[in-house]
Amino acid sequence: MQDFYNIDSLLSEEEIAVRDSVRRFVDDNVLPIIGECYVEGRFPKEIVPGLAELGVFGANLPEEYGCAGLNNVAYGLIMQELERGDSGVRSFASVQGALVMYPIYAFGSEEQKQHYLPKMAAGEIIGCFGLTEPDFGSNPAGMITMAREQSDGSWVINGAKMWITNGSTAQVAIVWAKTNDDKDQRSIRGFIVPTNTTGFCAKDQKGKLSLRASDTSELVLEDVRVPKDALLPKSGGLKSPLMCLTQARYGISWGALGAAIACFEEASSYAKTRIMFDRPIGGFQLQQLRLAEMLTEIVKGQLLCVQLGRLKDRGEFTPQQVSLAKRNNVHIATDIAREARRLLGANGILAEYSAMRHMANLESVYTYEGTHDVHTLVLGQAVTGLNAFGA
Amino acid sequence: MKIAVCIKRVPDMESRFRISGDGKVVDETGLKFDMSDFDGYAVEVALQITEKLGQGEVVVVSLGPDAVQEALRKALSMGAARAIHLKADQVPRDGFAVARALAAELESGGFDLIMFGKHAMDTMSGVVGPMTAELLGLPNVSAVSKLDVEQGKGTARRELEGAAEIVEFPLPAVVSIDEGIARPRYPSLKGIMAAKKKPLESKPAQLDPTRLEVTKTELPPDRQGGRIIGEGAAAVPELVRLLQTEAKVL
Ligand SMILES: Cc1cc2nc3c(=O)[nH]c(=O)nc-3n(C[C@H](O)[C@H](O)[C@H](O)COP(=O)(O)OP(=O)(O)OC[C@H]3O[C@@H](n4cnc5c(N)ncnc54)[C@H](O)[C@@H]3O)c2cc1C
C-alpha cells in the first residue's frame, strides 16, 4: 500500500531491504496457495525450508547461534509481511522464534543454545510452546501440569496442554510445569521435551473456523520422563513464560498490521474497479469512509510499532507498552478485516479473496497471547495501580 | 573465476507512469525502483557459477546517481563480494556512452566473464552488453538462456524462434542473460546484514557527451472498452469485416 505518512523515512535501508525481501517471498510463495490451505485446514509446511533460508526464524537473535541478528524493527517488519500472507504463517514463525528459540536463548544453558538454536533457525527442528491448559487460559498461574524431579536427576512430567500452535508438527515442545507447591515463587519451570518421548501425545484440534492454515493441537503428557538437561536452568516462576509472551506479542503487534494492510489493499482496489449504479463503489461516500478509517488506523498502528521497536532496541520497552500495541493493533485489524469483507459484498465471503480469511484468523489473534480483555486489565492496572484480574 | 555483473536500476514496471512536464521523459517522482529483472537473473547465474566452482568472486557494477547504490546493495545481499558505483548525475540515454564508461572500468579488472541482462526493463535497447564486448575486444553472446563455464571456456544456449542454438566461446567473454535462466534468490536476512560490511567503491564515471537525445516520450493510448457485435455464428461476418476494416489485422 501507499506509504501515506512516509513511514519508510523512519526506517533504515537494511530494515526496508529485509521487509522487501520477505514481502517478495510471501507474494511468490504464500499468497498463491494460502486460500486453498485455509479451506483444506492445512498448514503449508512446504514453505518452511524457504522461510528458514531467508532467515526469518529467531531473526532478532544473535548470529553466533545461526540467527540473522536483526534489530527489533526489522524483526517486526518480517512479522508484518508474514501476516500479510496469513496469521497462521506468522503464528508459526512467532512460536518458533519468540516462544521456543527465545526461551532457549534466555533461559537455556550454553549447551542447549548451541544444540538447538542453529537447527531451529535452519528449520530443521520445529518447536511448540505449551503453557495454556484446558482449565487455565487467561490464568496460567493455576496450571496443574507437574514435573517431579527423580532421584537420578531426571524429571517426570504429567499434565495436558491445549491450543498449542505447531503441536503436531513440532519435534520439541517447551513445556511449562510446576515443580513445587504454589508457595515456591519459582515453581513454574520450562522443559525442552522431544515430542517423540514415550508418554507424549499430540492431537490435532478439529473443527476450527479460524487460523485454519495453522496446526493447533492438544498435548497430553503421561509420565513423560526427560533427562536433567531438559530443564531450562534459568527459568523460574510465571515470569519466565510471560517474558516469552512479551516477545511474541511484540511481533503480533506488527503482524496484525500486515493482515490489515492486506485487507486494505484488497478493499481499495476492489472499490476502484467494482461498478454499481454506473460508478465505482469507491466513488460513494460510505465506502470512502470505510477506506479512510482503515488507512488512518493502519498509519497510527505503524507509528506505534516503529516507536515500540525503537524502545525495544534500546532496552527500554515495558510489557505494558506491548500490551497497548497488541491490544490496539489486533483490534483495529479485526475491524479493518470486517469492513473490507463488507465492502467486497458477496465476493467478500469467498476464499478467493483474503478479507474473510483474515477476519476469521484475527479472532484467534484477538484471543491468544493474552485476550484483548486481559490487556485492557493490564493497562487499567498501569493507569490506576489497582489490580482488576480477580484473585 | 572472476565475474563482473553490470546492473541497472530501473523503475518498477508495474508502476503507473506519468510523463514529465517537458514531455521528454518519465516523471520519476513517487516511482519505486529496483534492479532490472534481467540483471537480477545475471547476478543469480554469476553466483551459481562461483558456488558450483567453489571459488571465484562476483563483482557488481552500476552506473548512475547515488540511488543506484541501493541496487548494488541488493546484489551484495544476494551474495556478490563487492560493488563498484560509477557515479553520474543520470544514466545517459546513449548506450554507447554507458558502454564506454563501463569498458574503461572493466578493462583492467581481470574478469573472466562479464555479464549483463538481455536489456534494461526501462529502455529496452539491449546494446550496452554487445558494445562493451566490442570495446574490450571480447567475444559476445547475447540472450543466453543457459550458461556453463569451465577452464577458459563457456557454453551457452540461446533460444531462437522454434529452435535453440548452442554456442561455445573462449573466456574472457561478455554474455547477456535472457529470462527463464534462473530465479533470482531472495536476499536472505543474513545476507542483507552482511552486505553492509562489504566494500562498495564509488567513483566518477568517465562519460563522453551523449549523442542521442530523446525528443518525446508518450504513454500508450488509453484502452477503449470492448464492443459486443452480436452472438453466435450470425456475428461472424460482421466480426471478420471489422477485423479487416477497423482493426486491420486480417
Ligand atoms: C488458535 C490458537 C492458538 C493458540 N496457541 C497457543 C500456543 O501455542 N501455546 C499456548 O500456550 N496457548 C495457545 N493458545 C491459547 C491462548 O493463549 C488462550 O486461548 C488464551 O490465553 C485465552 O484463554 P482461554 O481460551 O482459556 O480463555 P479464558 O481465559 O477462559 O477467557 C474466556 C473469556 O473470559 C475473559 N476473561 C478471562 N479472565 C478475565 C478477567 N480476569 N477479567 C475479565 N475477563 C476475563 C477473556 O478475555 C475471554 O473473553 C492458542 C489459542 C488459539 C485460539
Side-chain angles (χ1 to χ4, degrees):
Chain A
M1 75 183 264
Q2 187 200 354
D3 182 8
F4 200 74
Y5 248 63
N6 198 6
I7 290 172
D8 276 9
S9 67
L10 301 174
L11 305 177
S12 72
E13 206 180 298
E14 290 81 38
E15 287 160 357
I16 290 174
V18 164
R19 178 195 65 197
D20 290 352
S21 200
V22 179
R23 179 172 289 176
R24 221 185 91 212
F25 180 90
V26 169
D27 285 345
D28 295 350
N29 300 284
V30 178
L31 296 184
I33 60 165
I34 196 66
E36 224 175 284
C37 290
Y38 189 87
V39 172
E40 290 167 10
R42 148 182 111 76
F43 170 71
K45 264 190 203 169
E46 61 271 32
I47 64 171
V48 171
L51 288 170
E53 206 170 304
L54 258 183
V56 309
F57 301 136
N60 55 351
L61 298 178
E63 289 165 85
E64 56 177 307
Y65 298 114
C67 304
L70 300 183
N71 72 13
N72 285 292
V73 171
Y75 173 82
L77 288 163
I78 296 173
M79 296 297 131
Q80 172 187 300
E81 291 308 315
L82 293 179
E83 196 148 355
R84 195 175 56 80
D86 190 84
S87 301
V89 174
R90 199 271 306 135
S91 296
F92 181 91
S94 282
V95 169
Q96 179 82 347
L99 294 182
V100 183
M101 295 172 73
Y102 172 79
I104 293 173
Y105 172 70
F107 311 123
S109 66
E110 194 51 39
E111 294 74 50
Q112 288 170 333
K113 293 189 222 184
Q114 299 281 357
H115 178 74
Y116 285 105
L117 295 180
K119 290 198 183 102
M120 298 200 74
E124 289 159 18
I125 295 181
I126 304 303
C128 68
F129 176 89
L131 177 67
T132 305
E133 299 186 357
D135 294 328
F136 296 93
S138 299
N139 180 22
M143 70 170 68
I144 46 186
T145 298
M146 213 44 208
R148 296 198 187 278
E149 195 168 10
Q150 308 296 299
S151 53
D152 65 354
S154 67
W155 294 86
V156 172
I157 310 175
N158 277 288
K161 299 288 178 182
M162 208 162 157
W163 304 109
I164 306 307
T165 304
N166 299 355
S168 300
T169 319
Q171 285 85 40
V172 296
I174 300 291
V175 173
W176 297 94
K178 284 186 178 159
T179 57
N180 204 343
D181 61 37
D182 285 347
K183 273 178 264 153
D184 177 359
Q185 292 285 309
R186 286 174 49 89
S187 169
I188 295 174
R189 314 285 307 261
F191 295 86
I192 308 177
V193 182
T195 57
N196 62 3
T197 312
T198 312
F200 186 104
C201 163
K203 235 181 32 218
D204 193 23
Q205 282 182 243
K206 302 268 185 232
K208 277 187 300 169
L209 298 175
S210 167
L211 223 63
R212 289 184 52 77
S214 172
D215 155 17
T216 312
S217 297
E218 196 181 335
L219 311 180
V220 178
L221 294 92
E222 237 186 295
D223 289 331
V224 169
R225 183 184 289 269
V226 289
K228 190 181 165 84
D229 63 5
L231 174 72
L232 290 170
K234 284 177 260 172
S235 68
L238 188 62
K239 190 166 167 278
S240 302
L242 294 188
M243 278 169 70
C244 305
L245 294 176
T246 299
Q247 300 295 316
R249 269 169 208 153
Y250 166 74
I252 292 172
S253 313
W254 283 93
L257 293 177
I261 289 168
C263 293
F264 173 76
E265 282 179 336
E266 183 168 86
S268 50
S269 100
Y270 195 85
K272 285 184 229 164
T273 51
R274 174 68 176 169
I275 311 286
M276 202 46 59
F277 296 99
D278 299 324
R279 62 169 130 145
I281 58 169
F284 297 112
Q285 290 183 359
L286 286 174
Q287 307 314 325
Q288 291 191 354
L289 173 64
R290 284 204 159 106
L291 296 168
E293 295 278 4
M294 290 182 196
L295 175 67
T296 307
E297 293 307 326
I298 290 171
V299 168
K300 282 153 67 179
Q302 284 177 319
L303 290 169
L304 194 59
C305 274
V306 173
Q307 170 65 358
L308 184 62
R310 299 287 175 232
L311 288 172
K312 189 170 189 304
D313 279 333
R314 294 204 296 262
E316 291 170 6
F317 87 145
T318 66
Q320 290 75 16
Q321 289 168 337
V322 181
S323 285
L324 188 152
K326 192 270 181 183
R327 181 178 181 277
N328 180 74
N329 287 5
V330 176
H331 184 71
I332 61 119
T334 53
D335 282 353
I336 287 170
R338 183 170 296 103
E339 291 305 320
R341 211 254 11 103
R342 290 175 180 166
L343 184 146
L344 265 66
N347 277 327
I349 72 161
L350 293 176
E352 190 186 324
Y353 290 87
S354 66
M356 187 143 175
R357 175 169 51 82
H358 284 300
M359 183 184 112
N361 278 341
L362 287 162
E363 289 300 323
S364 286
V365 184
Y366 199 85
T367 292
Y368 72 27
E369 295 275 350
T371 69
H372 185 81
D373 301 339
V374 163
H375 291 299
T376 308
L377 301 185
V378 170
L379 294 178
Q381 185 174 8
V383 175
T384 64
L386 304 169
N387 173 337
F389 285 92
Chain B
M1 179 71 50
K2 210 170 156 186
I3 307 178
V5 187
C6 300
I7 64 180
K8 185 177 183 186
R9 170 183 176 267
V10 300
D12 179 347
M13 287 301 135
E14 293 190 358
S15 317
R16 286 257 297 275
F17 289 101
R18 282 184 311 261
I19 304 297
S20 65
D22 63 6
K24 290 186 179 177
V25 289
V26 164
D27 179 1
E28 294 193 348
T29 44
L31 290 184
K32 280 194 140 180
F33 287 80
D34 201 350
M35 190 190 314
S36 181
D37 291 5
F38 291 106
D39 302 349
Y41 304 142
V43 172
E44 178 63 37
V45 172
L47 292 171
Q48 286 183 13
I49 291 171
T50 52
E51 282 161 3
K52 194 169 153 205
L53 295 175
Q55 52 101 341
E57 182 189 40
V58 176
V59 181
V60 285
V61 186
S62 188
L63 183 151
D66 284 341
V68 306
Q69 290 190 9
E70 211 180 291
L72 289 170
R73 286 254 177 254
K74 183 170 178 186
L76 293 176
S77 64
M78 287 171 73
R82 59 188 175 88
I84 301 170
H85 170 209
L86 301 177
K87 240 169 129 79
D89 295 339
Q90 54 189 16
V91 183
R93 189 56 191 79
D94 184 352
F96 190 61
V98 178
R100 286 274 284 248
L102 289 175
E105 172 61 32
L106 296 169
E107 201 168 17
S108 57
F111 293 105
D112 301 292
L113 195 59
I114 297 172
M115 296 172 73
F116 290 84
K118 179 171 80 169
H119 59 61
M121 299 308 288
D122 56 349
T123 49
M124 298 194 128
S125 297
V127 297
V128 174
M131 283 175 166
T132 306
E134 182 63 21
L135 289 166
L136 295 173
L138 296 178
N140 171 244
V141 192
S142 61
V144 170
S145 65
K146 188 170 186 305
L147 181 65
D148 286 308
V149 293
E150 49 186 284
Q151 297 298 333
K153 187 181 102 174
T155 312
R157 180 185 165 99
R158 305 180 68 249
E159 305 301 328
L160 310 177
E161 193 68 47
E165 182 179 75
I166 311 294
V167 189
E168 275 189 11
F169 52 92
L171 299 183
V174 176
V175 297
S176 51
I177 297 296
D178 204 347
E179 69 193 318
I181 187 166
R183 268 173 80 86
R185 65 195 64 189
Y186 305 98
S188 77
L189 311 184
K190 279 186 210 168
I192 291 167
M193 299 310 281
K196 275 203 295 199
K197 294 169 208 140
K198 290 180 178 175
L200 192 161
E201 183 191 351
S202 187
K203 51 182 159 185
Q206 298 177 28
L207 279 176
D208 298 334
T210 179
R211 300 172 304 177
L212 271 182
E213 193 198 343
V214 178
T215 54
K216 195 171 179 204
T217 296
E218 292 176 334
L219 293 176
D222 275 342
R223 266 206 304 186
Q224 304 293 315
R227 182 155 34 118
I228 296 170
I229 54 172
E231 245 179 75
V236 172
E238 175 65 0
L239 179 65
V240 171
R241 190 186 69 79
L242 288 174
L243 287 173
Q244 281 170 336
T245 58
E246 220 170 87
K248 301 203 169 74
V249 293
L250 288 183

